[in-house]
Amino acid sequence: AQSVTQPDIHITVSEGASLELRCNYSYGATPYLFWYVQSPGQGLQLLLKYFSGDTLVQGIKGFEAEFKRSQSSFNLRKPSVHWSDAAEYFCAVAPSGGYQKVTFGTGTKLQVIP
Amino acid sequence: DAGVIQSPRHEVTEMGQEVTLRCKPISGHNSLFWYRQTMMRGLELLIYFNNNVPIDDSGMPEDRFSAKMPNASFSTLKIQPSEPRDSAVYFCASTSDDRNEQFFGPGTRLTVL
């Protein structure tokens, strides 16, 4: 069965600092991978996704993620964090072609301090 | 595009009452998903429909929960009778076969007293 682990429950960064949120997945083949963001009181919004091809994926709001098969990781990065990035971030995995069966991580809550 | 619409946004009810949550997917989408989000268990898939037919309901916690999709533009999730442990945020999401991603509604925050 597929699974995804986000080891950091809560992260605090200063505005303007760089950010990396960790995500490790477990799946027998190359999965579909996603990062979603959830602002307070809102639903989840897709930041980026990886299906195949270039392992560095660009997303919205200046985010990027890199798929590393050898490490079973799909870490999310942003070079300079803005106060509006404060939210909860979810990594998710689905079987190739089976986007319906998405498994979400437990989320990482990002706090941004001025 | 109005996005996925859920109603109500907030629901407070007493234990034992029936609760009905509603979802209108994005027009043209043929798959619909119901999720439950809690602090303890995170985001869990309850059920998903494809072309109005329930495909996987293995996440539905028990017989008190039921979901229907009478047509392509409307779905309900019903809890009868409700219990305090059902308190959570319930999300609806939709997609189409050519999109490979799910679009989420704003959620319904349910509190069962």
Side-chain angles (χ1 to χ4, degrees):
Chain A
Q2 63 202 39
S3 66
V4 59
T5 301
Q6 295 180 248
D8 303 308
I9 296 173
H10 190 271
I11 282 184
T12 300
V13 300
S14 299
E15 191 169 16
S18 63
L19 172 69
E20 182 168 28
L21 302 183
R22 296 184 290 165
C23 172
N24 292 95
Y25 69 89
S26 174
Y27 183 67
T30 300
Y32 285 1
L33 294 162
F34 308 84
W35 274 100
Y36 282 85
V37 61
Q38 183 180 27
S39 297
Q42 302 296 314
L44 279 70
Q45 179 185 20
L46 183 70
L47 283 176
L48 48 79
K49 58 189 176 185
Y50 172 80
F51 291 160
S52 64
D54 192 347
T55 57
L56 185 62
V57 180
Q58 300 298 320
I60 62 172
K61 305 185 180 188
F63 285 92
E64 66 178 27
E66 187 172 11
F67 170 60
K68 293 186 177 180
R69 184 191 306 275
S70 61
Q71 299 177 21
S72 297
S73 69
F74 189 58
N75 294 349
L76 182 71
R77 299 194 295 251
K78 186 169 185 178
S80 178
V81 170
H82 188 262
W83 64 266
S84 60
D85 293 325
E88 190 156 19
Y89 292 80
F90 293 89
C91 182
V93 61
S96 296
Y99 62 91
Q100 299 92 340
K101 294 294 289 182
V102 178
T103 300
F104 287 86
T106 50
T108 297
K109 190 163 289 187
L110 174 65
Q111 181 181 9
V112 180
I113 56 177
Chain B
D1 188 345
V4 176
I5 298 172
Q6 292 187 247
S7 64
R9 293 293 309 276
H10 300 273
E11 176 81 34
V12 181
T13 191
E14 293 188 343
M15 183 173 63
Q17 296 298 306
E18 177 179 296
V19 175
T20 300
L21 311 182
R22 297 172 176 80
C23 175
K24 176 178 170 55
I26 292 173
S27 177
H29 285 186
N30 64 338
S31 290
L32 183 140
F33 308 80
W34 282 102
Y35 290 88
R36 178 173 66 178
Q37 185 180 40
T38 61
M39 289 290 293
M40 292 299 295
R41 301 174 68 89
L43 198 61
E44 305 172 279
L45 176 65
L46 300 177
I47 185 171
Y48 90 87
F49 296 84
N50 185 256
N51 294 323
N52 311 338
V53 176
I55 303 300
D56 184 350
D57 65 354
S58 59
M60 295 286 265
E62 50 197 273
D63 291 345
R64 298 185 297 106
F65 286 68
S66 63
K68 293 182 179 180
M69 192 165 187
N71 57 61
S73 59
F74 184 66
S75 177
T76 59
L77 178 67
K78 185 177 294 185
I79 308 173
Q80 166 64 13
S82 58
E83 297 182 3
R85 60 193 169 118
D86 302 330
S87 297
V89 181
Y90 291 82
F91 288 102
C92 177
S94 71
T95 191
S96 56
D97 291 342
D98 62 340
R99 293 308 301 266
N100 291 328
E101 64 181 89
Q102 298 180 21
F103 295 81
F104 282 76
T108 295
R109 181 174 295 277
L110 173 64
T111 302
V112 183
L113 303 174

